[in-house]
Amino acid sequence: MVVCDLDETLLNDKKLIPAVNIAAIKAAVAQGIYFVPNTGRGYLTVQDNLQTLGLLQRKNEYVISYNGGAIVENFKNRILQTCVMPFSVVESLFELGIAQGYCVHVYTVDQLYIWNISASEINYLTGRVNQWHETTEPNLNFLQGQDLIKIIFFVPQEAERLALKEQVLAQYTYPLNISFSSDRYIEFNSIEADKGQAAIALGNRLNIKPAEIIAVGDNSNDLPMIRQAGLGVSVANGRKFVKQAADYITAADNNQGAVAEVLRKFVL
C-alpha cells in the first residue's frame, strides 16, 4: 500500500496531478498496489482526484482524510472509521481562534464551515476545496450533536504557529494531535487521529503489514505516517524536519512528479 499526501506532494502548484504521477499510479494499481490518498482535507474534496486516477467509486479502494480522522471506502463513500473530538474542546478552540482573529475551519464528517475567510484563503482553497460554508455565526451551537473531526486556523507566520501550539498544549488537558500543513495552517485533531495511525489501521483491515506500506509527504502532519510506514518518503520540496525523518528523499519535487519517482523506484 502507498499512502500519499495531496497538497504539495501528489499535486503540483497548479493543484493538478502531474501526468507522470497519473501514469505511475495507474500502473501500480494494475499490479495490485493500493494507492490511498492520505490528506488533511475532507474525503469529498478528493473526488476529482480519484476520478483522474481511475479510483472514483471503486470498491476496495480507500481514502484517509482529516489527518486520519476518517477512513473511507471510495465505493459510495462508505465511512469505515472516524475519530471525533468532544464538542466542548472544539468549542473552546474555536473561541480561542476567533478571539485572535484567525480564519477558522471546523470539519464535520462531511461538511466544512469557515469563519473570517480572506481573499488569500479563498484563492488557496479554490481548486482544492470547492465546497465550504462561509458563516458569521458567533458560536458553534448549530453544530451541537454532530461529529466534529477537526478544527484548524490559518496562521501564516511559522513562529506564531509554533507559539500557539505551545500555548494550547499548556492550556488544554484533553490530549490533542497538533500539526502543521501547507506552511499556513495549525491543525487540531483527537490524539487518536493522525495519518500514521490511520494508515496502520487500514493496513490491518487489508492484511498489509506496516513494513509493506510506503508513505509520501512533505509537512508536519505527514510525519506520523512517514515514521510508521515501512518506507517513509519526503518529496524534494518537503520541510527540513520531514526530510530528516524520511528513509528516502526524492530528487523530484511536487511539480516534477515526485510520486512517480517513488513508484518507479520502489514498486514498478
Side-chain angles (χ1 to χ4, degrees), residues 25-42:
I25 290 165
K26 288 184 174 180
V29 170
Q31 290 188 14
I33 298 296
Y34 289 95
F35 184 84
V36 180
N38 196 344
T39 178
R41 297 203 239 142

Side-chain angles (χ1 to χ4, degrees), residues 102-117:
Y102 297 135
C103 174
V104 176
H105 300 202
V106 174
Y107 294 81
T108 69
V109 174
D110 58 3
Q111 301 293 329
L112 167 59
Y113 299 87
I114 303 180
W115 287 257
N116 298 334
I117 197 165

Side-chain angles (χ1 to χ4, degrees), residues 27-99:
V29 170
Q31 290 188 14
I33 298 296
Y34 289 95
F35 184 84
V36 180
N38 196 344
T39 178
R41 297 203 239 142
Y43 61 92
L44 293 176
T45 72
V46 183
Q47 303 302 300
D48 288 348
N49 305 127
L50 295 177
Q51 185 169 26
T52 299
L53 298 174
L55 299 173
L56 183 69
Q57 290 296 308
R58 287 273 298 272
K59 291 183 178 180
N60 204 30
E61 299 287 354
Y62 305 90
V63 168
I64 297 169
S65 60
Y66 308 119
N67 290 334
I71 300 174
V72 182
E73 183 178 14
N74 296 349
F75 183 65
K76 296 185 177 180
N77 289 320
R78 185 166 70 98
I79 296 172
L80 304 179
Q81 174 180 303
T82 58
C83 296
V84 302
M85 301 174 68
F87 178 84
S88 60
V89 173
V90 178
E91 182 181 46
S92 179
L93 288 166
F94 169 81
E95 291 170 352
L96 172 65
I98 293 298

